[in-house]
Amino acid sequence: MRSVRQNYKNGMKLTAARTGIAALALAALVSGCASGADPTSVKPVPGRQAPPALDAAAKLRLAQAARAAAAKRWGLAKTPLTAPAPPAKKPVIEFRDGFEVEDGEDLPPVFTTIPTKDKVVFLTIDDGAEKDPAFLRMMSDLKIPYTAFLSDYLVKKDYGYFRKMRDRGVVLNNHTLHHPYLPGLSYERQKREICGMQDVMKKQFGKRPTLFRPPYGNYNEDTLRAAKSCGIKAAPLWNEEIFVDHWEYREWDRDLHPGDIVLTHFRGKEDWKGTMPDMVRRFMKMVTDKGYAVARLEDYL
């Protein structure tokens, strides 16, 4: 009889221990969600048994729960949709936005959309005037990918802000040194604007970009030749532009399309009736309501 009671007590202790471990794991997960940390990488409490490893489905559920919590925290009406896995075979991009070059001349393609059937759009942000810490936190918490195109005369006021952006996985690209109207410059001056920014990017951020966006979306043959000489592989433009209070469209149907590139700028209350987080809320409402996810541009190039 004593052995039966003893076994019962031991069983109760084991159950309690397991329950305690599960509670610790759950508390750690909830804490991770609340802080914006990755909820799928729970660290064991010192001196206690580590929680059991999570399978892929459990990790996905936890990541979705964390994103839903972040969406609520940042005032989004809906949780952002998750983009599909990037294509193993990258789309072929040859379009030059109405600009023809000589036969056989291999210049960087200029394009406003990515040829894909995936219901995704790509967010790109230009210049670098506004340096809002809340924007960095918001995009990291929500895990929304975006691509930056920087001009040195603006970003040099705080290179550190954009290093933080780089460290969060954002790809930083070339938008010239001084943001001039490039077709009005000679080939040599255009080359100085583009190649000079390549040198700045290497020095300040550790890498020469392969993407370049001409200021105002204006370019000519010399622009593409100069860009190619500096190591540029492609020149993405845009199909829509998002502001705090409205959208602007290049297409006649005034709608989103799979693979569209969306432009906005690093701006704040000096230029807008709102902040960059306000712009993100408007952007995400539009794309989510229409059933689109935001994908990483570089994953399709």
Side-chain angles (χ1 to χ4, degrees):
M1 189 66 175
R2 181 178 298 173
S3 62
V4 172
R5 289 176 179 171
Q6 188 63 41
N7 289 340
Y8 175 77
K9 290 180 180 179
N10 291 341
M12 290 296 289
K13 290 178 181 178
L14 181 59
T15 300
R18 287 173 176 166
T19 302
I21 292 168
L24 285 169
L26 179 59
L29 291 173
V30 172
S31 174
C33 291
S35 65
D38 183 356
T40 63
S41 58
V42 179
K43 296 181 180 180
V45 177
R48 295 185 182 273
Q49 182 179 341
L54 300 173
D55 60 23
K59 288 182 178 180
L60 179 60
R61 288 194 298 271
L62 288 169
Q64 290 172 337
R67 206 175 194 201
K72 184 177 181 180
R73 189 163 61 250
W74 285 102
L76 273 62
K78 297 179 181 178
T79 302
L81 300 175
T82 301
K89 185 177 180 181
K90 307 306 180 187
V92 177
I93 300 173
E94 298 177 343
F95 185 53
R96 288 190 170 81
D97 194 37
F99 178 75
E100 296 295 333
V101 298
E102 295 179 9
D103 290 342
E105 191 167 15
D106 184 22
L107 295 180
V110 182
F111 49 94
T112 61
T113 188
I114 299 289
T116 180
K117 294 181 180 179
D118 293 342
K119 204 167 182 183
V120 297
V121 295
F122 307 96
L123 179 63
T124 62
I125 311 179
D126 282 9
D127 298 346
E130 181 70 11
K131 304 164 184 70
D132 185 350
F135 170 78
L136 286 183
R137 295 194 301 271
M138 182 180 195
M139 300 302 271
S140 295
D141 284 356
L142 294 170
K143 300 191 185 311
I144 299 173
Y146 60 101
T147 297
F149 291 88
L150 305 179
S151 289
D152 188 52
Y153 84 105
L154 293 170
V155 301
K156 67 182 181 181
K157 298 173 184 178
D158 188 358
Y159 288 125
Y161 177 84
F162 297 96
R163 291 191 193 103
K164 292 177 184 176
M165 191 176 292
R166 175 205 61 192
D167 293 344
R168 286 164 166 79
V170 178
V171 178
L172 308 180
N173 292 295
N174 188 326
H175 198 43
T176 71
L177 290 170
H178 304 101
H179 205 277
Y181 175 73
L182 289 173
L185 304 181
S186 67
Y187 170 81
E188 289 301 328
R189 289 183 64 190
Q190 290 196 52
K191 186 175 179 179
R192 283 198 296 273
E193 281 288 336
I194 302 169
C195 295
M197 190 58 186
Q198 291 288 83
D199 293 340
V200 169
M201 299 294 283
K202 172 64 176 178
K203 179 179 179 180
Q204 296 297 332
F205 308 117
K207 185 177 180 181
R208 285 185 169 83
T210 58
L211 300 183
F212 159 71
R213 174 172 283 163
Y216 316 107
N218 296 125
Y219 62 97
N220 60 16
E221 216 169 331
D222 282 344
T223 309
L224 300 184
R225 290 197 177 100
K228 180 181 178 181
S229 75
C230 306
I232 296 297
K233 304 298 183 184
L237 297 184
W238 63 92
N239 226 22
E240 293 90 21
E241 184 171 357
I242 176 66
F243 299 84
V244 167
D245 56 352
H246 71 283
W247 284 67
E248 292 183 1
Y249 300 84
R250 292 171 67 115
E251 296 289 338
W252 63 270
D253 60 356
R254 299 178 60 81
D255 201 0
L256 292 176
H257 314 86
D260 273 358
I261 300 171
V262 180
L263 164 68
T264 191
H265 293 82
F266 291 101
R267 293 179 182 166
K269 291 183 177 180
E270 290 186 1
D271 301 298
W272 288 342
K273 294 179 180 178
T275 64
M276 292 200 70
D278 293 331
M279 176 276 297
V280 174
R281 280 185 276 269
R282 185 179 186 90
F283 170 73
M284 292 310 304
K285 176 173 173 50
M286 170 72 84
V287 299
T288 306
D289 283 351
K290 290 181 175 289
Y292 284 83
V294 184
R296 185 174 178 268
L297 179 62
E298 290 78 11
D299 288 342
Y300 283 73
L301 297 177

